[in-house]
Amino acid sequence: MIPITVVDVQDAESLVVEVLRSGVIAQGPMVKRFEDAFAAVAGVPHAVAVNNGTTALVASIQALDLKPGDEVITSPFTFVATLNAILEAGATARFADIRTDDFCLDADLVSAQVTDRTKVLMPVHLYGQTADMGKLVPLAERHGLAIVEDAAQAVGATFEGKPAGSFGVGCFSLYATKNVTTAEGGVITTSDDALADKLRVMRNQGMRARYQYEMAGHNYRLTDLHAAVGIPQLEKLPQLTEARQRNAEALSKGLADVPGLTVPSVLPGRTHVWHQYTVLVGDEASVTRDELSAKLTEKGIGNGIYYPKLVFDYDCYRDNPQVVASDVPVAKKVAEQALSLPVHPKLTESELEQIVAAVREVFSA
């Protein structure tokens, strides 16, 4: 089986051993080292490490001091953590439709969802490419909205040269399958000195110094052990990203002319870091998305459906007054058609050829 993703953190062994021998295994100097390196990648002065990507979203919203009933506009086509974080922070979620060319919020449709209670715009930089921040940033400014970027899948991606996580408050996941991983972990990026300070106090039970409490806080800390796993990956992130980009290019070249199959695109002014390589299986295709997925699995080609439903299209959210569903036909269609193929840096040229051949064979059968 060619896996959909491969986790390789062997380069971290020496740093992990260093942490174990130091006796400082909770949050300590290794976390600070990781934060400094991550801030450089995001192009901001502050990176605040936390225990997972969902926490990054929750803490960012909490730090903005929203009141009950205040609203966050986000994408309906995303991992459920986006919605869960909004609810955990006590806010109400509204949704605008997406575009098929980047799988992100359609900036031209966001304004229709803005109400007098809207406080935050939360674009999701899905699959490794940013949303259209050239339109979303001015829109947020016009409506007086804070921007919280769900950049969980987009570390290193840029829009017109500006990195993901530098347009507002950036929230990243460091889960095992992400382009940079600490096994579990998250990062919040910001250029706001006061907000960064607030987040650091918040993540440590509200303490600025031991037993000096300044707010009702939480235990959102990342450990030095986790940070040690992530540091080597940040150091080689350019090479890992280049490998993903080469693999994506090979896949697109091999699949571009398959009838009924739409390969993903890199839009002008953006860099794509290819957390996922996601195709669309159109209604006119000779197979459905689910049939393609099953047949590829039979052929030993790993694949993933990210995501099979819209986030609000589950029973546990249907009657939640904090979830305001809307008509999003593009997102609904994409959820029926999207399929991700392997694009990770460990793929060989032979494996890429196998993936292309398998997809073409399924479509021509």
Side-chain angles (χ1 to χ4, degrees):
M1 176 69 73
I2 298 175
I4 184 69
T5 190
V6 170
V7 179
D8 180 8
V9 293
Q10 296 181 50
D11 289 354
E13 183 176 351
S14 62
L15 279 183
V16 171
V17 171
E18 180 181 329
V19 171
L20 292 173
R21 289 175 175 170
S22 74
V24 181
I25 60 173
Q27 181 178 301
M30 203 66 74
V31 169
K32 177 63 166 61
R33 178 174 164 184
F34 179 82
E35 289 176 331
D36 290 345
F38 203 100
V41 170
V44 295
H46 303 288
V48 182
V50 292
N51 54 8
N52 59 63
T54 307
T55 294
L57 291 166
V58 173
S60 295
I61 301 171
Q62 290 174 330
L64 296 174
D65 294 325
L66 271 62
K67 304 295 187 295
D70 286 347
E71 298 173 352
V72 178
I73 297 175
T74 192
S75 169
F77 186 64
T78 179
F79 183 53
V80 74
T82 308
L83 175 54
N84 284 342
I86 294 170
L87 300 180
E88 184 175 343
T92 295
R94 284 186 174 270
F95 305 90
D97 210 348
I98 66 171
R99 294 164 30 168
T100 56
D101 55 359
D102 61 9
F103 303 108
C104 299
L105 278 176
D106 187 334
D108 294 332
L109 301 178
V110 171
S111 289
Q113 297 301 321
V114 176
T115 73
D116 57 359
R117 297 306 304 269
T118 307
K119 304 299 180 183
V120 176
L121 175 61
M122 184 184 286
V124 180
H125 304 322
L126 203 65
Y127 299 145
Q129 185 169 215
T130 71
D132 186 354
M133 302 310 292
K135 288 186 176 180
L136 290 173
V137 170
L139 184 151
E141 291 173 348
R142 285 197 305 273
H143 292 285
L145 309 179
I147 293 178
V148 175
E149 301 169 65
D150 184 339
Q153 302 179 4
V155 59
T158 63
F159 182 91
E160 296 182 352
K162 191 170 180 173
S166 66
F167 294 91
V169 183
C171 300
F172 295 84
S173 170
L174 304 172
Y175 180 65
T177 58
K178 293 299 189 291
N179 293 28
V180 171
T181 180
T182 58
E184 283 281 11
V187 180
I188 305 166
T189 55
T190 179
S191 296
D192 187 321
D193 296 347
L195 184 64
D197 180 69
K198 184 175 184 178
L199 288 164
R200 291 189 178 106
V201 173
M202 181 190 295
R203 75 173 169 187
N204 191 33
Q205 298 290 9
M207 290 188 291
R208 182 169 300 282
R210 190 168 179 80
Y211 301 130
Q212 180 186 332
Y213 300 103
E214 297 191 1
M215 67 175 70
H218 310 270
N219 178 0
Y220 287 162
R221 296 184 298 267
L222 187 73
T223 72
D224 264 25
L225 281 171
H226 287 93
V229 173
I231 288 170
Q233 292 169 68
L234 281 176
E235 293 173 347
K236 62 181 182 181
L237 182 59
Q239 294 91 332
L240 293 172
T241 300
E242 287 171 8
R244 288 178 178 272
Q245 290 168 338
R246 287 194 302 270
N247 294 343
E249 185 177 359
L251 291 172
S252 291
K253 183 178 180 180
L255 298 173
D257 63 345
V258 176
L261 187 73
T262 301
V263 299
S265 57
V266 182
L267 298 185
R270 307 187 209 185
T271 59
H272 204 313
V273 297
W274 299 105
H275 174 63
Q276 299 290 352
Y277 180 92
T278 303
V279 298
L280 294 176
V281 183
D283 293 336
E284 71 281 12
S286 59
V287 294
T288 67
R289 186 272 309 278
D290 292 350
E291 289 171 342
L292 175 60
S293 175
K295 290 179 180 180
L296 287 178
T297 300
E298 290 175 4
K299 294 177 179 295
I301 307 298
N303 59 89
I305 297 174
Y306 312 114
Y307 302 93
K309 291 185 178 183
L310 305 181
V311 286
F312 54 70
D313 198 19
Y314 291 88
D315 289 344
C316 57
Y317 300 113
R318 290 188 197 281
D319 298 322
N320 191 322
Q322 293 172 248
V323 180
V324 183
S326 55
D327 185 27
V328 286
V330 176
K332 183 176 177 60
K333 179 60 70 174
V334 168
E336 297 170 353
Q337 296 183 342
L339 183 72
S340 295
L341 303 174
V343 74
H344 57 81
K346 292 296 183 179
L347 288 170
T348 65
E349 185 176 341
S350 174
E351 288 173 331
L352 288 165
E353 292 172 352
Q354 290 179 57
I355 295 167
V356 169
V359 173
R360 298 185 71 91
E361 184 177 342
V362 172
F363 271 81
S364 63

